[in-house]
Amino acid sequence: MEEFFYLYVIILFFVLREVLMRKVTNKGFCLCAFLMLAMVGLRDIHCGADTWNYCDFFVNPKKSTTYYSIQGVEPGFRVLNSIIGIFSHNENFYLFVTALITFCPIYWYIGKYSSCKVMSLFVFLTFGTATMMYFMSFYLMRQYLSIAFLSLAIVFYKKNNEKINKNVVLLYCIALSMHIASLIFLPVFYKYKSVSKKNVILLFVITFVIGSITTHYFSDFYALGALIGKGQYLQNNAERFYQYMMTLPLFALGTMFVLFTDEGHLKLIEYRSLYFAVVFNNLFSIVDYSDRTIVYFLFPLLVLIPNAFNYMKIKILYKVIAFAVFVAYYSYKYYSVLNLYSEFQNDSPVPYRSCLY
């Protein structure tokens, strides 16, 4: 677990340096971004669920008995594997190149539109639901390749004044060809003419109540227990914690951002993604592996969360308190999930294993 702890400390240092001391430099962002990319790209072929299965499929694309030959993959992913295979069929080379293709577009999106780029990396590392966005990059190769191309699509979408053009369509089609689940993100591109704070918050509350009732009825408060993140709960219900999402924090965060942000900003694509994330999270947290779907709505929050703290029209003291609570809570959640993963002997990024040592 030491590698993840050091990574967290380094990123938090630069976050506090930028936010509290107002010393904004690209050096901190570049260093932290490189460390995050290197940990994923230089992981051992047995570090993280399905890493070996993807490597086996890459090395033996015509073998009918590999896991992904049996399960099937999207055509774009097959094409990407073939292109990488032209240069080398080494598994470590494959993992590094796919990590590079995944992370660089996300970093570009952050670099262009985040008001605090290192804060975006802190969100990437700690924020999320049952698993977290960064840890998922050890698992969900096709999903994250898809998210990378969606990030590029959003960049071109925003450059075109939040209007769809041929570049956006092309990149979205490539994202679909990497993983079909990216289809769920399509409604986020629809631009609203107006947004009512009252209606959005009412939708959040109604779906939260419905989700809480169904969670209680079907799962005996297991999902609500996961909201708290208590250490003993995680120890005794590790599998359930992995399946269920933490509804309350995202609901509270989304409500706060909508309530205290100017309505002009609420039409931005990042906020629209937030609406879908909260509603989906409220209603479907009981569904197995729903965290793998909501990650499509969460990744624009890498840009939204740092910006939203700036957009909120509240006193600076309240912003500082909200920021401190956010950092403290997700630091604790990061620690809790690290402890959870440390109990898994196989298919886990913890303990971390690198191809270099």
Side-chain angles (χ1 to χ4, degrees):
M1 285 178 28
E2 291 83 1
E3 293 89 346
F4 291 105
F5 175 74
Y6 296 146
L7 180 63
Y8 164 79
V9 170
I10 292 170
I11 293 177
L12 183 62
F13 167 77
F14 283 106
V15 168
L16 296 178
R17 186 171 181 266
E18 288 199 8
V19 174
L20 300 181
M21 301 177 66
R22 298 181 182 275
K23 293 185 177 180
V24 180
T25 65
N26 285 326
K27 293 180 180 178
F29 171 71
C30 292
L31 173 63
C32 297
F34 171 76
L35 292 175
M36 294 180 73
L37 168 62
M39 284 189 68
V40 177
L42 297 177
R43 71 190 186 275
D44 183 80
I45 60 174
H46 299 289
C47 180
D50 284 347
T51 299
W52 164 247
N53 289 326
Y54 279 120
C55 289
D56 188 29
F57 179 71
F58 169 69
V59 174
N60 304 292
K62 296 182 180 180
K63 188 177 178 181
S64 61
T65 56
T66 62
Y67 178 80
Y68 282 108
S69 292
I70 298 171
Q71 294 291 322
V73 296
E74 289 77 5
F77 184 69
R78 287 183 179 273
V79 171
L80 178 64
N81 279 5
S82 298
I83 295 172
I84 298 174
I86 294 173
F87 301 95
S88 175
H89 275 86
N90 179 273
E91 293 98 331
N92 299 123
F93 174 79
Y94 174 64
L95 293 179
F96 185 79
V97 170
T98 52
L100 201 65
I101 296 172
T102 297
F103 278 68
C104 287
I106 296 174
Y107 289 159
W108 189 33
Y109 174 43
I110 290 172
K112 285 187 70 68
Y113 296 107
S114 175
S115 61
C116 182
K117 296 190 285 281
V118 179
M119 180 63 182
S120 293
L121 295 184
F122 178 84
V123 175
F124 196 1
L125 181 68
T126 64
F127 187 77
T129 51
T131 54
M132 287 181 282
M133 285 191 283
Y134 180 63
F135 281 159
M136 280 185 169
S137 63
F138 286 80
Y139 292 153
L140 312 178
M141 183 181 292
R142 287 179 295 140
Q143 287 92 328
Y144 264 74
L145 285 167
S146 176
I147 284 172
F149 287 101
L150 284 177
S151 298
L152 292 177
I154 291 179
V155 169
F156 283 97
Y157 179 77
K158 293 178 75 69
K159 287 175 67 176
N160 196 40
N161 197 28
E162 296 219 349
K163 294 179 182 178
I164 295 175
N165 58 19
K166 60 182 180 181
N167 292 326
V168 176
V169 173
L170 175 61
L171 289 164
Y172 183 73
C173 289
I174 296 174
L176 276 175
S177 74
M178 293 295 166
H179 201 287
I180 192 64
S182 57
L183 186 64
I184 198 172
F185 192 78
L186 183 60
V188 180
F189 284 109
Y190 177 76
K191 189 174 182 179
Y192 311 137
K193 292 182 179 179
S194 62
V195 177
S196 167
K197 289 186 179 183
K198 180 180 178 181
N199 291 342
V200 171
I201 293 175
L202 184 61
L203 178 64
F204 285 178
V205 172
I206 291 173
T207 54
F208 179 78
V209 171
I210 293 173
S212 299
I213 293 172
T214 56
T215 297
H216 166 56
Y217 184 77
F218 289 111
S219 63
D220 299 322
F221 284 111
Y222 276 119
L224 293 180
L227 303 181
I228 306 170
K230 299 247 181 190
Q232 190 60 43
Y233 180 87
L234 299 181
Q235 300 290 332
N236 297 338
N237 301 277
E239 288 295 332
R240 290 186 178 275
F241 177 74
Y242 177 81
Q243 304 292 348
Y244 296 124
M245 308 167 76
M246 292 155 284
T247 306
L248 186 57
L250 185 58
F251 166 73
L253 195 69
T255 302
M256 179 182 70
F257 286 159
V258 171
L259 189 62
F260 297 110
T261 300
D262 183 87
E263 289 190 357
H265 290 111
L266 296 180
K267 293 186 287 185
L268 296 173
I269 189 170
E270 288 83 10
Y271 277 93
R272 302 200 300 269
S273 189
L274 173 68
Y275 308 151
F276 280 93
V278 173
V279 170
F280 184 92
N281 193 32
N282 287 345
L283 293 176
F284 300 109
S285 60
I286 195 172
V287 179
D288 286 356
Y289 300 109
S290 53
D291 53 343
R292 299 186 178 204
T293 304
I294 197 176
V295 73
Y296 286 98
F297 298 133
L298 290 180
F299 81 89
L301 273 60
L302 299 176
V303 168
L304 171 65
I305 290 175
N307 293 350
F309 279 109
N310 289 331
Y311 294 155
M312 286 193 302
K313 292 186 173 181
I314 56 177
K315 293 181 179 180
I316 187 66
L317 176 62
Y318 298 147
K319 284 189 180 182
V320 171
I321 293 173
F323 173 76
V325 171
F326 175 85
V327 170
Y329 176 79
Y330 282 101
S331 295
Y332 167 69
K333 191 59 65 179
Y334 181 69
Y335 171 78
S336 299
V337 175
L338 276 177
N339 281 336
L340 171 66
Y341 277 136
S342 66
E343 294 197 350
F344 295 161
Q345 298 300 316
N346 301 310
D347 297 338
S348 173
V350 181
Y352 177 75
R353 298 182 297 278
S354 172
C355 64
L356 301 179
Y357 59 87

